[in-house]
Amino acid sequence: MRGKFITLEGGEGAGKSTQARLLAEHLRNLGHECVVTREPGGSPVAEALREVILSGAAAPLGPSAETVLFAAARIDHVVQTILPALARGAFVVCDRFTDSTRVYQGALGKVGPGLIHTLEEIATAQCRPDLTLILDLPAQTGLARAAARRAQQAADRYEAEGLAFHEGLRLAFLEIAKSEPARCKVVDAAKGPDEVAQAIWATVQALLEPAAPIAGTP
Ligand code: T5A
C-alpha cells in the first residue's frame, strides 16, 4: 500500500523543521517508517541546487529562472527520495514542497501561473501531498525566530527580503488553504512547540484511521 505524503508549509521560522522532527518521532514510536526530507534539497542533486539557489547566486537570472531551478531540484527529490519511500509504504514528511513555489515564486515573485503549473506537473509526476499543514504566525515573529536561530550567520536569499514580502507570504499561504480545504489544514504556529505538535497530531491521526465503510456497501 502506498505510504502517506505530508508536507509542512509556511513562512520563515514558522517551526516547520521542528514540527517535521516531532511528527516523525511520534510516527516512529507507533512503529511506522517515516522519512523526513526538505525542499529545496532532499537528494544529492537537489541539495547541490539548494546551495546555488539559497546563496543568491541565481537571483540575477530572475524569478522565472529560479523557479526552473526549484523544479529541477524537485524532479530529483521526487524520483530519488519521495516516490521510493511512498512505494515502501512509508510516511514522507517534507519541509516545504510545491506550495512554496506557488507562494514565493508565483504570488510574490510574480511568475505567471502557466509556468508554475507546467513545472509543477513535470516535477511532481502526479505525486501530490495527502495532507499539507500550513504553519501560520505573524511574519515578524517568524523572522525573529529565524534570526535567533542563525545567530551571527547572514540571512539567506529569501529571509533577507523585507517585512512586506513576508507578510505577503503569510496571506498567500492562507489563500491556498482556503482554496484547497480538503488537503490543507492551517495550524496556529505562534503557540509553543508542544502545543503545535499536538494540533498537528490531531490532524495526522485522521490519515491513520481506515475510511469508514459507506452505508449499504458490503
Ligand atoms: N523556497 C523553497 C522557495 O522560494 N520556493 C520553493 O519552491 C521552496 C521549496 C528554504 C527557502 O527556500 C524558499 C523558501 C525559503 O526561504 P530554509 O533554510 O529551508 O530555506 O528555510 P525555511 O524553510 O524557512 O526554514 P527555517 O529554518 O527558516 O524555518 P522553520 O523550519 O519553519 O523553523 P524551525 O523549526 O527551524 O524553527 C526556527 C527557530 O524557532 C524555534 C526553533 O527552535 C528555531 O530556533 N521554534 C520555536 N520557538 C518558539 N515557539 C515555537 N513553536 C517554535 N518552533 C520552532
Side-chain angles (χ1 to χ4, degrees):
M1 209 167 81
R2 179 188 182 271
K4 297 290 182 196
F5 183 26
I6 301 171
T7 57
L8 289 140
E9 298 277 8
E12 312 288 315
K16 299 174 298 299
S17 317
T18 304
Q19 293 303 326
R21 182 175 48 76
L22 293 175
L23 177 57
E25 273 174 24
H26 205 133
L27 286 164
R28 287 173 189 143
N29 286 342
L30 291 174
H32 298 285
E33 183 191 351
C34 183
V35 172
V36 178
T37 186
R38 68 172 180 181
E39 286 211 348
S43 62
V45 172
E47 287 291 332
L49 286 169
R50 177 185 172 94
E51 294 299 318
V52 174
I53 300 167
L54 296 190
S55 68
L61 303 177
S64 295
E66 288 180 303
T67 308
V68 171
L69 290 175
F70 277 112
R74 185 162 298 135
I75 288 171
D76 191 57
H77 184 214
V78 167
V79 170
Q80 301 294 335
T81 305
I82 299 176
L83 288 177
L86 292 175
R88 290 197 302 274
F91 278 82
V92 174
V93 176
C94 186
D95 183 345
R96 296 192 183 279
F97 196 57
T98 46
D99 295 313
S100 283
T101 310
R102 292 183 191 181
V103 166
Y104 280 77
Q105 283 66 53
L108 276 294
K110 304 286 178 233
V111 175
L115 181 61
I116 298 281
H117 179 75
T118 302
L119 290 174
E120 188 172 313
E121 290 292 306
I122 294 168
T124 61
Q126 302 295 315
C127 176
R128 309 257 186 253
D130 297 292
L131 172 67
T132 296
L133 299 154
I134 295 187
L135 271 56
D136 177 61
L137 84 173
Q140 218 152 15
T141 311
L143 286 172
R145 283 185 192 171
R149 190 212 41 214
R150 71 177 149 75
Q152 303 305 316
Q153 285 183 317
D156 70 24
R157 161 80 180 87
Y158 296 100
E159 209 181 307
E161 296 277 356
L163 185 60
F165 177 90
H166 293 281
E167 283 167 345
L169 292 177
R170 183 186 191 193
L171 295 178
F173 277 117
L174 291 174
E175 272 303 310
I176 291 178
K178 215 162 101 183
S179 66
E180 292 188 56
R183 172 176 70 88
C184 302
K185 303 294 170 211
V186 178
V187 176
D188 179 1
K191 295 185 174 158
D194 291 342
E195 274 178 283
V196 177
Q198 276 172 22
I200 285 177
W201 185 245
T203 303
V204 171
Q205 260 180 321
L207 281 182
L208 300 173
E209 289 160 7
I214 299 164
T217 56

